[in-house]
Amino acid sequence: MRGSGARARPPGPRTARRRDRRVYTRSHPVLFALLAATRRAPVVRLGRTVLVHGTDAYRQALTRLPLDRTAAGTTGGAARELSGGGALFDQEGSGHRGSRRTLAEDLGTAGTARLRPVWQEILARRLAPLAAGHAVETAALAHEMAGATVCALLGTAADPDAVARAAADAAAAAVRDHLPGPRRPGTARAAVRATARLEELLRDRAGGVAGGAGAGAADGAGTPGSAAAPDGTGAALRAVVAVAAVATTAAALPRAVAWCADAGLWERAADPATRETLVDELLRVTAPSPVLPRRAAAPGTLDGCPVRGGDRLVLVARHAAGAHRDAPRCPAPAPAAVARLVFGAGPHTCPGARLARTQLADLLAALAPHRPVVVRARADRRAALPAWRTLTVRPGPAPPGPRRTHRSEEHRTHRNGEAP
């Protein structure tokens, strides 16, 4: 594939969306063709599978419809199979609520502050070549950030790069075995083998910087930093954490960088007053985990469509948040209740949302002074989630400075000192 710099296009939302669409069409072409063909209706039934596209229906599915967290073909089911049971997904009632409360605390403000120096050191080191006019590879940067953050969160002495690679392999095998669409022979066995390799890496424990829970898996929306659970739960469950965090971080960060570069959003990224809004909008538009597989535990109704117990639900977070329709709207952003649907809703909200937003905000703040442009982009056909395998950026042109006043203009001022 030729580098994207071979034919420059003017920056704007259309340029950004054209590039971003490739991560979908190259990684899961059949699945996303199906979702695109059915997205005009809020809810569509195909046999025992219910596709949920509408904003209200999506929220209803996560807040009002009883869900089976451990069913085959769901995120929880995959985690249960990979961890051998005993995960947070198996808990019910007060046990489940208590575990999630612990997760929210460990990945909240204090936990994020303790983890933040881990990725800030990586950003300073990896992005230093930009100051000298050299290019940097943001996909590799995202993988290192994910691996190092996971290792710090879980308190493991494993090599962060090795953990990131093993987690990415396990995520790719597991997702392809559970998402709708054609499966390659042996995908289930490949997922088990990849997870076993990851478990072995995570057996060596050390004191983590997060200090609290940080060693399990949550059933949130699967965005960056979306997994953690009580300490001491074993290498298998820690592997589930690594799979979720690495896959989503690797998908989200480079795609957000490409959007900023292609849509000309670096000025907003550089301004602390607008950066937080931009982060929310970029996460909404990229929707790192665009599809949430779930299964109904009891009968119900979604936007007038009857749902039977045992029906497979495909909750399309990308469409519910309007990612396919609206580019980042910083002057008039989507309501937070809509934008943050990519993190789930209600009891199924991702406890790592704050960590995800902080990581992206720090990345954009570090890149913004260089106003990077994309010079090479290649989609990852094997990744668990739509992602870039390579996204190389280099420093862009400096922003135009204030216009200098010509001497002849200075002589043509009015008596009150104002220019004509």
Side-chain angles (χ1 to χ4, degrees), residues 110 215 275 291:
R275 189 182 304 135
V291 173

Side-chain angles (χ1 to χ4, degrees), residues 27-32 175-185 187:
S27 60
H28 299 284
V30 176
L31 172 62
F32 285 98
V175 166
R176 290 192 179 279
D177 186 47
H178 286 83
L179 281 181
R183 295 176 176 83
R184 295 179 179 178
T187 53

Side-chain angles (χ1 to χ4, degrees), residues 214-228:
D219 60 342
T223 42
S226 67

Side-chain angles (χ1 to χ4, degrees), residues 3-420:
S4 59
R7 180 181 299 176
R9 295 188 177 95
R14 293 183 64 182
T15 298
R17 190 174 295 283
R18 185 182 295 111
R19 188 195 303 278
D20 194 61
R21 190 179 293 118
R22 292 210 305 267
V23 298
Y24 293 104
T25 58
R26 304 291 173 86
S27 60
H28 299 284
V30 176
L31 172 62
F32 285 98
L34 171 65
L35 298 181
T38 59
R39 70 188 180 197
R40 293 186 180 278
V43 182
V44 177
R45 173 177 288 280
L46 300 175
R48 292 301 303 270
T49 297
V50 180
L51 308 179
V52 182
H53 301 280
T55 301
D56 292 338
Y58 175 94
R59 188 181 289 108
Q60 291 170 10
L62 291 174
T63 59
R64 299 181 184 178
L65 189 68
L67 301 177
D68 185 347
R69 289 191 295 269
T70 64
T74 68
T75 304
R80 187 175 187 272
E81 292 172 16
L82 296 179
S83 66
L88 176 64
F89 299 96
D90 295 327
Q91 300 172 343
E92 299 291 343
S94 60
H96 178 72
R97 291 192 296 270
S99 295
R100 287 189 60 82
R101 189 179 306 114
T102 301
L103 301 183
E105 293 172 355
D106 288 334
L107 293 175
T109 303
T112 297
R114 286 191 290 267
L115 287 168
R116 199 173 186 185
V118 174
W119 67 73
Q120 286 184 325
E121 183 278 328
I122 296 171
L123 288 174
R125 170 170 44 83
R126 282 273 193 171
L127 298 181
L130 289 173
H134 301 303
V136 298
E137 171 48 51
T138 61
L141 164 67
H143 273 273
E144 184 176 355
M145 284 179 62
T149 302
V150 164
C151 287
L153 177 65
L154 300 182
T156 177
D159 176 61
D161 288 339
V163 168
R165 289 194 300 270
D169 290 342
V175 166
R176 290 192 179 279
D177 186 47
H178 286 83
L179 281 181
R183 295 176 176 83
R184 295 179 179 178
T187 53
R189 292 191 300 273
V192 172
R193 289 195 300 268
T195 305
R197 291 195 298 270
L198 180 59
E199 289 177 17
E200 188 62 32
L201 286 171
L202 297 175
R203 290 188 192 281
D204 188 13
R205 299 299 304 278
V209 302
D219 60 342
T223 42
S226 67
D231 199 10
T233 51
L237 193 50
R238 294 197 297 274
V240 176
V241 181
V243 166
V246 169
T248 51
T249 302
L253 299 187
R255 288 179 58 200
V257 170
W259 260 99
C260 263
D262 290 338
L265 299 174
W266 291 121
E267 184 177 349
R268 296 189 178 279
D271 187 350
T274 57
R275 189 182 304 135
E276 182 177 350
T277 299
L278 177 63
V279 165
D280 277 347
E281 282 292 281
L282 287 172
L283 288 172
R284 176 184 67 81
V285 169
T286 56
S289 287
V291 173
L292 309 182
R294 299 292 187 265
R295 194 172 294 273
T301 302
L302 294 177
D303 201 71
C305 176
V307 176
R308 293 171 286 181
D311 278 351
R312 188 175 193 179
L313 306 177
V314 178
L315 309 182
V316 190
R318 166 179 164 82
H319 295 165
H324 64 299
R325 182 180 60 248
D326 299 323
R329 303 181 302 180
C330 295
V338 174
R340 296 183 181 180
L341 286 177
V342 295
F343 292 104
H348 300 279
T349 299
C350 169
R354 182 184 297 275
L355 178 62
R357 291 195 293 270
T358 304
Q359 282 190 323
L360 180 54
D362 285 353
L363 174 60
L364 297 182
L367 285 171
H370 308 286
R371 302 175 68 88
V373 296
V374 178
V375 295
R376 190 166 189 266
R378 183 173 62 174
D380 193 339
R381 298 173 184 269
R382 294 185 61 256
L385 303 172
W388 294 112
R389 182 178 181 85
T390 299
L391 188 88
T392 307
V393 300
R394 62 168 173 78
R403 189 175 68 90
R404 298 181 61 182
T405 304
H406 193 273
R407 182 173 299 177
S408 62
E409 294 180 353
E410 295 177 355
H411 290 294
R412 290 188 294 110
T413 55
H414 289 300
R415 292 181 180 179
N416 62 4
E418 296 180 356

